[in-house]
Structures are given as structure tokens and as C-alpha cells.
Amino acid sequence: MFFRQKPMTIPSAAEALPGRDQELAIAANHYVNGASLKGPYPEGAETIYFGLGCFWGAERLFWQLPGVLVTAVGYQGGHTPNASYEEVCSGRTGHTESVKVVYDPKVISLEKLLKTFWEEHDPTQGMRQGNDMGTQYRSAIYTTTPEQAEIVEQSRASYQNALRQRGLGPITTQIGEAGPFYYAETYHQQYLAKNPNGYCGLAGTGVSCPIGVGVAAE
């Protein structure tokens, strides 16, 4: 989770580590709220995935929000199936550190989740967050429905305008449809609940994210 020299470009599928067929074994339940990490989830729940640097602190941001049912950390956006943490750290999997967020849209809106996402990290830094360098720390949003994708793009445009007004650069967040999510090892899951004084390197830009047109702020 700390500064180390790593590749700063995503490897091709041919260059990526081969990984494995078997999933990593993880705990069945969320350490904080006891919910099933892999489901089944309540009817009507939706899922979205966020990458915003070191996933230890990123996951805590979301499990604290009312209406978020389950969070989990894993590896996503790359090529290597069922990658280990060490493999992801090598920069040879293409994955970013991702947070799975399962939420009740009747209690918390996607706009509220996105406001947290944009404000709690710097989405203009490319393959890094602060001193955390490498492709695994890139900013990313992976959606699971067309409706989510539309809202995400609207929020990106709104936040880009807000950043520009403050003299900051273009958003580099990778946005796309969610591909496979590979759960990280159990010790990473809800890490900062187990280790309250653990490392968290997240830092936002200080620029507030506008709530989308026609969406009331909670």
C-alpha cells in the first residue's frame, strides 16, 4: 500500500500473468455488518464498483453510508483471473483495486454514492493516488446497468466542470461496464475495521461535487 516503483501502463492480455481457475477463499460474511459478501442480496438491490486508490480506505467510505448493504474489495478491470494481491502489486495483471458496493436505491441514490466517490480522492492523477503509484491505484467506475452508466457520465461531466473552474486538470477515471470482479484475500476485506489505525492514503481535491440536475441531495 506504500510507495514503490511499478509499471505505469496496463499490460495487454498477452503480457498479463495467467492467474488461476480457482477463486481465492474468503470469509463468508462482512466483518462490520454480518451481511453475506457474495449474496444473495435483497430484492431490488443494485451493484456498482469503484476504484479510488488503496481499497482499504475506499471500502470504509462506502460501508459507513446508510443504504449501502454490502461492500467488498477485490481486483477488477484487468486480465488475470483470480489474481492474488502480490500479482496485482506487480503491475502485471491490469487490475485496479476495486470496491464492490451493493446498495438499496430506495434508501441511497447512485448520485450520493458518486458524490462520495468524486470528492474522496483525486480523479485527475492517472495511474496513482498520492504516493501510491501504479496501475492498481487508478481511478475507475464499473457499472452494471445502462441507467447507472448514464448517471455516471452525467456526474463525470458535472465534476469535470467543477474541477476546471478550480484550475484542475482532466478526469482520468476509467469508466465502463463491469467485467469480472475477483474478491481479494480475507485480510483485505473490511481491513480498517479490523485495523483501525491502518494505512489510508486517500485525499480529495477539496472540490465539491454538484448533485445532478433534478436529483435532491440527501
Side-chain angles (χ1 to χ4, degrees), residues 89-165:
C89 284
S90 75
R92 297 178 60 204
T93 69
H95 293 307
T96 191
E97 295 190 13
S98 180
V99 181
K100 179 178 184 177
V101 178
V102 182
Y103 64 100
D104 182 347
K106 294 180 180 178
V107 179
I108 187 169
S109 66
L110 177 55
E111 288 84 356
K112 175 62 176 177
L113 296 175
L114 289 165
K115 183 175 177 66
T116 297
F117 170 81
W118 294 121
E119 292 183 356
E120 296 296 335
H121 79 302
D122 184 345
T124 71
Q125 292 193 329
M127 301 297 179
R128 61 178 292 184
Q129 277 298 302
N131 286 335
D132 289 333
M133 308 284 287
T135 55
Q136 80 192 83
Y137 299 115
R138 70 186 183 272
S139 177
I141 304 173
Y142 302 122
T143 60
T144 58
T145 69
E147 292 77 16
Q148 285 182 353
E150 183 176 353
I151 293 170
V152 166
E153 286 296 344
Q154 291 171 351
S155 75
R156 185 205 61 78
S158 294
Y159 198 52
Q160 181 64 80
N161 185 56
L163 291 172
R164 188 178 297 112
Q165 291 178 14

